[in-house]
mmCIF file with all atom_site columns, all heavy atoms in Angstrom:
data_model
loop_
_atom_site.group_PDB
_atom_site.id
_atom_site.type_symbol
_atom_site.label_atom_id
_atom_site.label_alt_id
_atom_site.label_comp_id
_atom_site.label_asym_id
_atom_site.label_entity_id
_atom_site.label_seq_id
_atom_site.pdbx_PDB_ins_code
_atom_site.Cartn_x
_atom_site.Cartn_y
_atom_site.Cartn_z
_atom_site.occupancy
_atom_site.B_iso_or_equiv
_atom_site.pdbx_formal_charge
_atom_site.auth_seq_id
_atom_site.auth_comp_id
_atom_site.auth_asym_id
_atom_site.auth_atom_id
_atom_site.pdbx_PDB_model_num
ATOM 1   N N   . PHE A 1 1  ? 105.742 45.193 123.641 1.00 69.00 ? 243 PHE A N   1
ATOM 2   C CA  . PHE A 1 1  ? 104.370 45.426 123.207 1.00 69.00 ? 243 PHE A CA  1
ATOM 3   C C   . PHE A 1 1  ? 104.329 46.440 122.060 1.00 69.00 ? 243 PHE A C   1
ATOM 4   O O   . PHE A 1 1  ? 103.331 47.141 121.896 1.00 69.00 ? 243 PHE A O   1
ATOM 5   C CB  . PHE A 1 1  ? 103.522 45.937 124.377 1.00 69.00 ? 243 PHE A CB  1
ATOM 6   C CG  . PHE A 1 1  ? 103.480 44.998 125.557 1.00 69.00 ? 243 PHE A CG  1
ATOM 7   C CD1 . PHE A 1 1  ? 104.249 45.237 126.681 1.00 69.00 ? 243 PHE A CD1 1
ATOM 8   C CD2 . PHE A 1 1  ? 102.684 43.865 125.514 1.00 69.00 ? 243 PHE A CD2 1
ATOM 9   C CE1 . PHE A 1 1  ? 104.210 44.382 127.761 1.00 69.00 ? 243 PHE A CE1 1
ATOM 10  C CE2 . PHE A 1 1  ? 102.644 42.990 126.584 1.00 69.00 ? 243 PHE A CE2 1
ATOM 11  C CZ  . PHE A 1 1  ? 103.414 43.245 127.716 1.00 69.00 ? 243 PHE A CZ  1
ATOM 12  N N   . GLY A 1 2  ? 105.410 46.516 121.289 1.00 65.00 ? 244 GLY A N   1
ATOM 13  C CA  . GLY A 1 2  ? 105.463 47.484 120.205 1.00 65.00 ? 244 GLY A CA  1
ATOM 14  C C   . GLY A 1 2  ? 104.408 47.240 119.139 1.00 65.00 ? 244 GLY A C   1
ATOM 15  O O   . GLY A 1 2  ? 103.728 48.168 118.697 1.00 65.00 ? 244 GLY A O   1
ATOM 16  N N   . ARG A 1 3  ? 104.259 45.982 118.725 1.00 70.00 ? 245 ARG A N   1
ATOM 17  C CA  . ARG A 1 3  ? 103.280 45.675 117.685 1.00 70.00 ? 245 ARG A CA  1
ATOM 18  C C   . ARG A 1 3  ? 101.859 45.923 118.181 1.00 70.00 ? 245 ARG A C   1
ATOM 19  O O   . ARG A 1 3  ? 101.020 46.473 117.445 1.00 70.00 ? 245 ARG A O   1
ATOM 20  C CB  . ARG A 1 3  ? 103.444 44.230 117.243 1.00 70.00 ? 245 ARG A CB  1
ATOM 21  C CG  . ARG A 1 3  ? 102.452 43.797 116.162 1.00 70.00 ? 245 ARG A CG  1
ATOM 22  C CD  . ARG A 1 3  ? 102.737 42.396 115.689 1.00 70.00 ? 245 ARG A CD  1
ATOM 23  N NE  . ARG A 1 3  ? 104.064 42.303 115.062 1.00 70.00 ? 245 ARG A NE  1
ATOM 24  C CZ  . ARG A 1 3  ? 104.540 41.172 114.558 1.00 70.00 ? 245 ARG A CZ  1
ATOM 25  N NH1 . ARG A 1 3  ? 103.819 40.052 114.604 1.00 70.00 ? 245 ARG A NH1 1
ATOM 26  N NH2 . ARG A 1 3  ? 105.736 41.153 113.998 1.00 70.00 ? 245 ARG A NH2 1
ATOM 27  N N   . HIS A 1 4  ? 101.573 45.551 119.416 1.00 71.00 ? 246 HIS A N   1
ATOM 28  C CA  . HIS A 1 4  ? 100.237 45.779 119.960 1.00 71.00 ? 246 HIS A CA  1
ATOM 29  C C   . HIS A 1 4  ? 99.954  47.277 120.092 1.00 71.00 ? 246 HIS A C   1
ATOM 30  O O   . HIS A 1 4  ? 98.823  47.733 119.875 1.00 71.00 ? 246 HIS A O   1
ATOM 31  C CB  . HIS A 1 4  ? 100.099 45.093 121.320 1.00 71.00 ? 246 HIS A CB  1
ATOM 32  C CG  . HIS A 1 4  ? 100.295 43.609 121.275 1.00 71.00 ? 246 HIS A CG  1
ATOM 33  N ND1 . HIS A 1 4  ? 101.550 43.042 121.317 1.00 71.00 ? 246 HIS A ND1 1
ATOM 34  C CD2 . HIS A 1 4  ? 99.405  42.580 121.155 1.00 71.00 ? 246 HIS A CD2 1
ATOM 35  C CE1 . HIS A 1 4  ? 101.431 41.721 121.251 1.00 71.00 ? 246 HIS A CE1 1
ATOM 36  N NE2 . HIS A 1 4  ? 100.141 41.417 121.157 1.00 71.00 ? 246 HIS A NE2 1
ATOM 37  N N   . PHE A 1 5  ? 100.998 48.033 120.439 1.00 72.00 ? 247 PHE A N   1
ATOM 38  C CA  . PHE A 1 5  ? 100.807 49.478 120.531 1.00 72.00 ? 247 PHE A CA  1
ATOM 39  C C   . PHE A 1 5  ? 100.480 50.066 119.167 1.00 72.00 ? 247 PHE A C   1
ATOM 40  O O   . PHE A 1 5  ? 99.627  50.967 119.057 1.00 72.00 ? 247 PHE A O   1
ATOM 41  C CB  . PHE A 1 5  ? 102.074 50.127 121.101 1.00 72.00 ? 247 PHE A CB  1
ATOM 42  C CG  . PHE A 1 5  ? 101.977 51.617 121.230 1.00 72.00 ? 247 PHE A CG  1
ATOM 43  C CD1 . PHE A 1 5  ? 101.274 52.191 122.277 1.00 72.00 ? 247 PHE A CD1 1
ATOM 44  C CD2 . PHE A 1 5  ? 102.588 52.445 120.301 1.00 72.00 ? 247 PHE A CD2 1
ATOM 45  C CE1 . PHE A 1 5  ? 101.187 53.562 122.395 1.00 72.00 ? 247 PHE A CE1 1
ATOM 46  C CE2 . PHE A 1 5  ? 102.501 53.820 120.407 1.00 72.00 ? 247 PHE A CE2 1
ATOM 47  C CZ  . PHE A 1 5  ? 101.804 54.373 121.468 1.00 72.00 ? 247 PHE A CZ  1
ATOM 48  N N   . MET A 1 6  ? 101.112 49.595 118.108 1.00 71.00 ? 248 MET A N   1
ATOM 49  C CA  . MET A 1 6  ? 100.810 50.079 116.767 1.00 71.00 ? 248 MET A CA  1
ATOM 50  C C   . MET A 1 6  ? 99.399  49.713 116.352 1.00 71.00 ? 248 MET A C   1
ATOM 51  O O   . MET A 1 6  ? 98.723  50.484 115.656 1.00 71.00 ? 248 MET A O   1
ATOM 52  C CB  . MET A 1 6  ? 101.822 49.520 115.765 1.00 71.00 ? 248 MET A CB  1
ATOM 53  C CG  . MET A 1 6  ? 103.222 50.073 115.915 1.00 71.00 ? 248 MET A CG  1
ATOM 54  S SD  . MET A 1 6  ? 103.285 51.876 115.809 1.00 71.00 ? 248 MET A SD  1
ATOM 55  C CE  . MET A 1 6  ? 102.623 52.150 114.172 1.00 71.00 ? 248 MET A CE  1
ATOM 56  N N   . TYR A 1 7  ? 98.926  48.523 116.796 1.00 73.00 ? 249 TYR A N   1
ATOM 57  C CA  . TYR A 1 7  ? 97.536  48.172 116.522 1.00 73.00 ? 249 TYR A CA  1
ATOM 58  C C   . TYR A 1 7  ? 96.578  49.145 117.209 1.00 73.00 ? 249 TYR A C   1
ATOM 59  O O   . TYR A 1 7  ? 95.546  49.544 116.641 1.00 73.00 ? 249 TYR A O   1
ATOM 60  C CB  . TYR A 1 7  ? 97.257  46.751 116.983 1.00 73.00 ? 249 TYR A CB  1
ATOM 61  C CG  . TYR A 1 7  ? 97.910  45.679 116.140 1.00 73.00 ? 249 TYR A CG  1
ATOM 62  C CD1 . TYR A 1 7  ? 98.198  44.428 116.669 1.00 73.00 ? 249 TYR A CD1 1
ATOM 63  C CD2 . TYR A 1 7  ? 98.226  45.916 114.808 1.00 73.00 ? 249 TYR A CD2 1
ATOM 64  C CE1 . TYR A 1 7  ? 98.800  43.437 115.896 1.00 73.00 ? 249 TYR A CE1 1
ATOM 65  C CE2 . TYR A 1 7  ? 98.821  44.934 114.034 1.00 73.00 ? 249 TYR A CE2 1
ATOM 66  C CZ  . TYR A 1 7  ? 99.113  43.701 114.585 1.00 73.00 ? 249 TYR A CZ  1
ATOM 67  O OH  . TYR A 1 7  ? 99.705  42.738 113.806 1.00 73.00 ? 249 TYR A OH  1
ATOM 68  N N   . VAL A 1 8  ? 96.911  49.524 118.421 1.00 74.00 ? 250 VAL A N   1
ATOM 69  C CA  . VAL A 1 8  ? 96.077  50.498 119.135 1.00 74.00 ? 250 VAL A CA  1
ATOM 70  C C   . VAL A 1 8  ? 96.108  51.839 118.412 1.00 74.00 ? 250 VAL A C   1
ATOM 71  O O   . VAL A 1 8  ? 95.086  52.532 118.300 1.00 74.00 ? 250 VAL A O   1
ATOM 72  C CB  . VAL A 1 8  ? 96.551  50.640 120.591 1.00 74.00 ? 250 VAL A CB  1
ATOM 73  C CG1 . VAL A 1 8  ? 95.807  51.762 121.297 1.00 74.00 ? 250 VAL A CG1 1
ATOM 74  C CG2 . VAL A 1 8  ? 96.366  49.327 121.334 1.00 74.00 ? 250 VAL A CG2 1
ATOM 75  N N   . VAL A 1 9  ? 97.280  52.215 117.923 1.00 71.00 ? 251 VAL A N   1
ATOM 76  C CA  . VAL A 1 9  ? 97.391  53.479 117.184 1.00 71.00 ? 251 VAL A CA  1
ATOM 77  C C   . VAL A 1 9  ? 96.538  53.441 115.925 1.00 71.00 ? 251 VAL A C   1
ATOM 78  O O   . VAL A 1 9  ? 95.819  54.393 115.606 1.00 71.00 ? 251 VAL A O   1
ATOM 79  C CB  . VAL A 1 9  ? 98.873  53.751 116.839 1.00 71.00 ? 251 VAL A CB  1
ATOM 80  C CG1 . VAL A 1 9  ? 98.990  54.904 115.854 1.00 71.00 ? 251 VAL A CG1 1
ATOM 81  C CG2 . VAL A 1 9  ? 99.654  54.067 118.100 1.00 71.00 ? 251 VAL A CG2 1
ATOM 82  N N   . LEU A 1 10 ? 96.601  52.329 115.182 1.00 73.00 ? 252 LEU A N   1
ATOM 83  C CA  . LEU A 1 10 ? 95.785  52.204 113.978 1.00 73.00 ? 252 LEU A CA  1
ATOM 84  C C   . LEU A 1 10 ? 94.299  52.210 114.313 1.00 73.00 ? 252 LEU A C   1
ATOM 85  O O   . LEU A 1 10 ? 93.484  52.755 113.565 1.00 73.00 ? 252 LEU A O   1
ATOM 86  C CB  . LEU A 1 10 ? 96.151  50.928 113.224 1.00 73.00 ? 252 LEU A CB  1
ATOM 87  C CG  . LEU A 1 10 ? 97.511  50.927 112.533 1.00 73.00 ? 252 LEU A CG  1
ATOM 88  C CD1 . LEU A 1 10 ? 97.783  49.578 111.899 1.00 73.00 ? 252 LEU A CD1 1
ATOM 89  C CD2 . LEU A 1 10 ? 97.584  52.010 111.487 1.00 73.00 ? 252 LEU A CD2 1
ATOM 90  N N   . PHE A 1 11 ? 93.931  51.608 115.438 1.00 75.00 ? 253 PHE A N   1
ATOM 91  C CA  . PHE A 1 11 ? 92.530  51.628 115.848 1.00 75.00 ? 253 PHE A CA  1
ATOM 92  C C   . PHE A 1 11 ? 92.086  53.054 116.154 1.00 75.00 ? 253 PHE A C   1
ATOM 93  O O   . PHE A 1 11 ? 90.931  53.423 115.904 1.00 75.00 ? 253 PHE A O   1
ATOM 94  C CB  . PHE A 1 11 ? 92.329  50.744 117.076 1.00 75.00 ? 253 PHE A CB  1
ATOM 95  C CG  . PHE A 1 11 ? 90.930  50.802 117.642 1.00 75.00 ? 253 PHE A CG  1
ATOM 96  C CD1 . PHE A 1 11 ? 89.886  50.155 117.010 1.00 75.00 ? 253 PHE A CD1 1
ATOM 97  C CD2 . PHE A 1 11 ? 90.667  51.521 118.797 1.00 75.00 ? 253 PHE A CD2 1
ATOM 98  C CE1 . PHE A 1 11 ? 88.599  50.207 117.529 1.00 75.00 ? 253 PHE A CE1 1
ATOM 99  C CE2 . PHE A 1 11 ? 89.387  51.586 119.324 1.00 75.00 ? 253 PHE A CE2 1
ATOM 100 C CZ  . PHE A 1 11 ? 88.345  50.926 118.682 1.00 75.00 ? 253 PHE A CZ  1
ATOM 101 N N   . GLY A 1 12 ? 92.998  53.867 116.676 1.00 68.00 ? 254 GLY A N   1
ATOM 102 C CA  . GLY A 1 12 ? 92.651  55.259 116.973 1.00 68.00 ? 254 GLY A CA  1
ATOM 103 C C   . GLY A 1 12 ? 92.319  56.059 115.737 1.00 68.00 ? 254 GLY A C   1
ATOM 104 O O   . GLY A 1 12 ? 91.567  57.042 115.813 1.00 68.00 ? 254 GLY A O   1
ATOM 105 N N   . THR A 1 13 ? 92.860  55.673 114.572 1.00 69.00 ? 255 THR A N   1
ATOM 106 C CA  . THR A 1 13 ? 92.534  56.380 113.344 1.00 69.00 ? 255 THR A CA  1
ATOM 107 C C   . THR A 1 13 ? 91.122  56.072 112.851 1.00 69.00 ? 255 THR A C   1
ATOM 108 O O   . THR A 1 13 ? 90.612  56.786 111.987 1.00 69.00 ? 255 THR A O   1
ATOM 109 C CB  . THR A 1 13 ? 93.534  56.006 112.238 1.00 69.00 ? 255 THR A CB  1
ATOM 110 O OG1 . THR A 1 13 ? 93.431  54.596 111.961 1.00 69.00 ? 255 THR A OG1 1
ATOM 111 C CG2 . THR A 1 13 ? 94.958  56.315 112.671 1.00 69.00 ? 255 THR A CG2 1
ATOM 112 N N   . CYS A 1 14 ? 90.506  55.014 113.373 1.00 74.00 ? 256 CYS A N   1
ATOM 113 C CA  . CYS A 1 14 ? 89.172  54.620 112.923 1.00 74.00 ? 256 CYS A CA  1
ATOM 114 C C   . CYS A 1 14 ? 88.060  55.266 113.730 1.00 74.00 ? 256 CYS A C   1
ATOM 115 O O   . CYS A 1 14 ? 86.887  55.142 113.360 1.00 74.00 ? 256 CYS A O   1
ATOM 116 C CB  . CYS A 1 14 ? 89.024  53.100 112.981 1.00 74.00 ? 256 CYS A CB  1
ATOM 117 S SG  . CYS A 1 14 ? 90.262  52.191 112.032 1.00 74.00 ? 256 CYS A SG  1
ATOM 118 N N   . LEU A 1 15 ? 88.390  55.928 114.829 1.00 74.00 ? 257 LEU A N   1
ATOM 119 C CA  . LEU A 1 15 ? 87.350  56.521 115.667 1.00 74.00 ? 257 LEU A CA  1
ATOM 120 C C   . LEU A 1 15 ? 86.802  57.781 115.014 1.00 74.00 ? 257 LEU A C   1
ATOM 121 O O   . LEU A 1 15 ? 87.547  58.729 114.774 1.00 74.00 ? 257 LEU A O   1
ATOM 122 C CB  . LEU A 1 15 ? 87.915  56.849 117.053 1.00 74.00 ? 257 LEU A CB  1
ATOM 123 C CG  . LEU A 1 15 ? 88.353  55.658 117.905 1.00 74.00 ? 257 LEU A CG  1
ATOM 124 C CD1 . LEU A 1 15 ? 88.978  56.151 119.205 1.00 74.00 ? 257 LEU A CD1 1
ATOM 125 C CD2 . LEU A 1 15 ? 87.163  54.752 118.207 1.00 74.00 ? 257 LEU A CD2 1
ATOM 126 N N   . PRO A 1 16 ? 85.507  57.838 114.722 1.00 79.00 ? 258 PRO A N   1
ATOM 127 C CA  . PRO A 1 16 ? 84.939  59.071 114.145 1.00 79.00 ? 258 PRO A CA  1
ATOM 128 C C   . PRO A 1 16 ? 84.869  60.173 115.176 1.00 79.00 ? 258 PRO A C   1
ATOM 129 O O   . PRO A 1 16 ? 84.579  59.935 116.351 1.00 79.00 ? 258 PRO A O   1
ATOM 130 C CB  . PRO A 1 16 ? 83.547  58.623 113.688 1.00 79.00 ? 258 PRO A CB  1
ATOM 131 C CG  . PRO A 1 16 ? 83.210  57.470 114.571 1.00 79.00 ? 258 PRO A CG  1
ATOM 132 C CD  . PRO A 1 16 ? 84.515  56.775 114.878 1.00 79.00 ? 258 PRO A CD  1
ATOM 133 N N   . ILE A 1 17 ? 85.147  61.392 114.723 1.00 80.00 ? 259 ILE A N   1
ATOM 134 C CA  . ILE A 1 17 ? 85.181  62.522 115.638 1.00 80.00 ? 259 ILE A CA  1
ATOM 135 C C   . ILE A 1 17 ? 83.797  62.814 116.205 1.00 80.00 ? 259 ILE A C   1
ATOM 136 O O   . ILE A 1 17 ? 83.654  63.275 117.347 1.00 80.00 ? 259 ILE A O   1
ATOM 137 C CB  . ILE A 1 17 ? 85.753  63.756 114.918 1.00 80.00 ? 259 ILE A CB  1
ATOM 138 C CG1 . ILE A 1 17 ? 86.076  64.860 115.918 1.00 80.00 ? 259 ILE A CG1 1
ATOM 139 C CG2 . ILE A 1 17 ? 84.800  64.255 113.854 1.00 80.00 ? 259 ILE A CG2 1
ATOM 140 C CD1 . ILE A 1 17 ? 87.189  64.541 116.852 1.00 80.00 ? 259 ILE A CD1 1
ATOM 141 N N   . THR A 1 18 ? 82.743  62.525 115.442 1.00 79.00 ? 260 THR A N   1
ATOM 142 C CA  . THR A 1 18 ? 81.390  62.790 115.926 1.00 79.00 ? 260 THR A CA  1
ATOM 143 C C   . THR A 1 18 ? 81.021  61.889 117.102 1.00 79.00 ? 260 THR A C   1
ATOM 144 O O   . THR A 1 18 ? 80.225  62.269 117.955 1.00 79.00 ? 260 THR A O   1
ATOM 145 C CB  . THR A 1 18 ? 80.373  62.586 114.789 1.00 79.00 ? 260 THR A CB  1
ATOM 146 O OG1 . THR A 1 18 ? 80.569  61.289 114.205 1.00 79.00 ? 260 THR A OG1 1
ATOM 147 C CG2 . THR A 1 18 ? 80.557  63.638 113.723 1.00 79.00 ? 260 THR A CG2 1
ATOM 148 N N   . ALA A 1 19 ? 81.601  60.682 117.145 1.00 80.00 ? 261 ALA A N   1
ATOM 149 C CA  . ALA A 1 19 ? 81.294  59.768 118.246 1.00 80.00 ? 261 ALA A CA  1
ATOM 150 C C   . ALA A 1 19 ? 81.953  60.193 119.542 1.00 80.00 ? 261 ALA A C   1
ATOM 151 O O   . ALA A 1 19 ? 81.515  59.792 120.623 1.00 80.00 ? 261 ALA A O   1
ATOM 152 C CB  . ALA A 1 19 ? 81.733  58.351 117.882 1.00 80.00 ? 261 ALA A CB  1
ATOM 153 N N   . MET A 1 20 ? 83.002  61.020 119.464 1.00 84.00 ? 262 MET A N   1
ATOM 154 C CA  . MET A 1 20 ? 83.711  61.434 120.661 1.00 84.00 ? 262 MET A CA  1
ATOM 155 C C   . MET A 1 20 ? 83.257  62.783 121.205 1.00 84.00 ? 262 MET A C   1
ATOM 156 O O   . MET A 1 20 ? 83.626  63.160 122.311 1.00 84.00 ? 262 MET A O   1
ATOM 157 C CB  . MET A 1 20 ? 85.222  61.515 120.366 1.00 84.00 ? 262 MET A CB  1
ATOM 158 C CG  . MET A 1 20 ? 85.847  60.204 119.969 1.00 84.00 ? 262 MET A CG  1
ATOM 159 S SD  . MET A 1 20 ? 87.654  60.353 119.814 1.00 84.00 ? 262 MET A SD  1
ATOM 160 C CE  . MET A 1 20 ? 87.770  61.440 118.395 1.00 84.00 ? 262 MET A CE  1
ATOM 161 N N   . MET A 1 21 ? 82.486  63.543 120.436 1.00 87.00 ? 263 MET A N   1
ATOM 162 C CA  . MET A 1 21 ? 82.224  64.928 120.812 1.00 87.00 ? 263 MET A CA  1
ATOM 163 C C   . MET A 1 21 ? 81.339  65.058 122.034 1.00 87.00 ? 263 MET A C   1
ATOM 164 O O   . MET A 1 21 ? 81.478  66.019 122.799 1.00 87.00 ? 263 MET A O   1
ATOM 165 C CB  . MET A 1 21 ? 81.596  65.683 119.639 1.00 87.00 ? 263 MET A CB  1
ATOM 166 C CG  . MET A 1 21 ? 82.583  66.038 118.550 1.00 87.00 ? 263 MET A CG  1
ATOM 167 S SD  . MET A 1 21 ? 84.096  66.806 119.183 1.00 87.00 ? 263 MET A SD  1
ATOM 168 C CE  . MET A 1 21 ? 83.455  68.280 119.959 1.00 87.00 ? 263 MET A CE  1
ATOM 169 N N   . VAL A 1 22 ? 80.416  64.116 122.254 1.00 88.00 ? 264 VAL A N   1
ATOM 170 C CA  . VAL A 1 22 ? 79.543  64.229 123.435 1.00 88.00 ? 264 VAL A CA  1
ATOM 171 C C   . VAL A 1 22 ? 80.348  64.093 124.725 1.00 88.00 ? 264 VAL A C   1
ATOM 172 O O   . VAL A 1 22 ? 80.279  64.961 125.614 1.00 88.00 ? 264 VAL A O   1
ATOM 173 C CB  . VAL A 1 22 ? 78.404  63.196 123.375 1.00 88.00 ? 264 VAL A CB  1
ATOM 174 C CG1 . VAL A 1 22 ? 77.613  63.197 124.689 1.00 88.00 ? 264 VAL A CG1 1
ATOM 175 C CG2 . VAL A 1 22 ? 77.481  63.499 122.203 1.00 88.00 ? 264 VAL A CG2 1
ATOM 176 N N   . PRO A 1 23 ? 81.166  63.035 124.913 1.00 89.00 ? 265 PRO A N   1
ATOM 177 C CA  . PRO A 1 23 ? 81.987  62.983 126.132 1.00 89.00 ? 265 PRO A CA  1
ATOM 178 C C   . PRO A 1 23 ? 83.053  64.077 126.174 1.00 89.00 ? 265 PRO A C   1
ATOM 179 O O   . PRO A 1 23 ? 83.393  64.569 127.262 1.00 89.00 ? 265 PRO A O   1
ATOM 180 C CB  . PRO A 1 23 ? 82.618  61.587 126.098 1.00 89.00 ? 265 PRO A CB  1
ATOM 181 C CG  . PRO A 1 23 ? 82.546  61.169 124.685 1.00 89.00 ? 265 PRO A CG  1
ATOM 182 C CD  . PRO A 1 23 ? 81.319  61.789 124.123 1.00 89.00 ? 265 PRO A CD  1
ATOM 183 N N   . VAL A 1 24 ? 83.579  64.476 125.024 1.00 91.00 ? 266 VAL A N   1
ATOM 184 C CA  . VAL A 1 24 ? 84.577  65.548 125.015 1.00 91.00 ? 266 VAL A CA  1
ATOM 185 C C   . VAL A 1 24 ? 83.944  66.867 125.447 1.00 91.00 ? 266 VAL A C   1
ATOM 186 O O   . VAL A 1 24 ? 84.540  67.629 126.215 1.00 91.00 ? 266 VAL A O   1
ATOM 187 C CB  . VAL A 1 24 ? 85.208  65.674 123.608 1.00 91.00 ? 266 VAL A CB  1
ATOM 188 C CG1 . VAL A 1 24 ? 86.008  66.971 123.481 1.00 91.00 ? 266 VAL A CG1 1
ATOM 189 C CG2 . VAL A 1 24 ? 86.111  64.479 123.337 1.00 91.00 ? 266 VAL A CG2 1
#
């Protein structure tokens, strides 16, 4: 699942920090 894991990693770079701050 190496390629799929890299896709997940790339998706993580697209998450805006402002969208995560409320649950964080």
Side-chain angles (χ1 to χ4, degrees):
F243 301 102
R245 179 175 297 180
H246 300 84
F247 180 78
M248 291 304 300
Y249 289 155
V250 173
V251 169
L252 289 176
F253 175 75
T255 62
C256 303
L257 295 176
I259 192 67
T260 53
M262 298 186 293
M263 285 312 299
V264 173
V266 167

